[in-house]
Amino acid sequence: MSSVDKSGRLGDCSVHRLGYGAMQLAGKGVFGPPKDHDAAIAVLREAVAAGVDHIDTSDFYGPHVTNLLIREALAPYRDNLTIVTKIGARRGDDASWLPAFAPKELEQAVHDNLRNLGLDVMDVVNLRLMFDVHGPAEGSIEAPLSALAELQRKGLVRHIGLSNVTRAQIAEGRKICDIVCVQNHYNLAHRDDDALIDQLARGGIAYVPFFPLGGFSPLQSSTLSDVAERLGATPMQVALAWLLQRAPNILLIPGTSSVAHLRENLAAAELELSADVLNELDGVAKAA
């Protein structure tokens, strides 16, 4: 049994640190229906049956596809299930990702999530910034975040988080409302947020990284694969285990459309990496 702390928090919501991200349940390019509807339903039900109590989704996955699948598979929801969504974007007819920051767009997005999930209030809503689709970019978030905070005051949203953000935007956001989580790209090879993670931990704010294997060079992938082979694990399991040991405020939301892959991912919670292995993996970020 791993000694890594498996409990985390999203505001006043207590969750297991290894959750599930629903993005991959939609069709190719996160657009349209799943290739196998019944398999998508089975993955969601298996996740909850295995103890997952934190599901990450968005109504712009599909659009609407993943939320409707979650409702079909899991409603009525268990009392301890925390569902987190994102707003701030919409999908074009060509599957493009477009900003949707206007107050009316944000309000409509919250209502769409509530309706499609069959909820009266969202546990957590993350404002996804779209100044640059490919990564964080500077720009004031006062107007859209204030609009989301107003929806919180109306009782439609319990907690607010931020996604695809810079440190300056987080600081600006915390002056407007309580921020319970930050979602950014971070993994063994992509370590730009190292200092930010530690800063957020001191403030009791969860950090939810996405793309646990995204952006690896061939050499970095080879190093990770070598470590995984020695441990009798998969590269994804090692990457997830490293994240769990990196900081106690990190919450994980690996996604998959396969029950077998889901079980492999969840098993990463039991994989404890030695100090020597951690030192070796820390070198992955420096590898070309």
Side-chain angles (χ1 to χ4, degrees), residues 65-113:
V65 169
T66 61
N67 281 352
L68 291 172
L69 288 168
I70 290 169
R71 181 176 185 175
E72 179 183 349
L74 303 178
Y77 303 109
R78 294 185 179 182
D79 290 340
N80 69 335
L81 181 63
T82 297
I83 299 179
V84 180
T85 194
K86 285 173 289 296
I87 62 173
R90 62 182 178 86
R91 306 303 295 278
D93 293 339
D94 59 352
S96 57
W97 302 80
L98 305 170
F101 277 172
K104 287 187 177 180
E105 290 178 306
L106 297 174
E107 182 174 9
Q108 184 62 54
V110 168
H111 282 289
D112 286 347
N113 277 276

Side-chain angles (χ1 to χ4, degrees), residues 187-229:
N187 58 38
L188 265 170
H190 191 276
R191 304 276 297 270
D192 291 351
D193 278 357
D194 263 335
L196 174 61
I197 290 170
D198 297 331
Q199 177 188 347
L200 295 176
R202 292 190 291 270
I205 299 173
Y207 185 92
V208 188
F210 49 80
F211 299 144
L213 288 181
F216 279 58
S217 71
L219 177 57
Q220 291 167 332
S221 295
S222 177
T223 301
L224 178 61
S225 295
D226 289 346
V227 170
E229 184 175 2

Side-chain angles (χ1 to χ4, degrees), residues 7 33 58 62 97 132 157 161 169 189 201 236 264 279:
S7 62
S58 175
W97 302 80
D132 186 336
V157 177
Q169 288 162 340
M236 176 65 99
E264 284 185 2
N279 286 335

Side-chain angles (χ1 to χ4, degrees), residues 100-157:
F101 277 172
K104 287 187 177 180
E105 290 178 306
L106 297 174
E107 182 174 9
Q108 184 62 54
V110 168
H111 282 289
D112 286 347
N113 277 276
L114 291 171
R115 181 185 66 254
N116 290 327
L117 287 165
L119 294 169
D120 296 322
V121 58
M122 288 301 313
D123 292 318
V124 184
V125 175
N126 289 317
L127 178 63
R128 166 76 181 193
L129 298 191
M130 295 289 287
F131 295 114
D132 186 336
V133 175
H134 304 292
E138 296 295 354
S140 176
I141 65 172
E142 180 179 1
L145 187 58
S146 295
L148 180 52
E150 178 60 26
L151 297 175
Q152 184 182 42
R153 285 189 287 271
K154 290 180 177 178
L156 299 177
V157 177

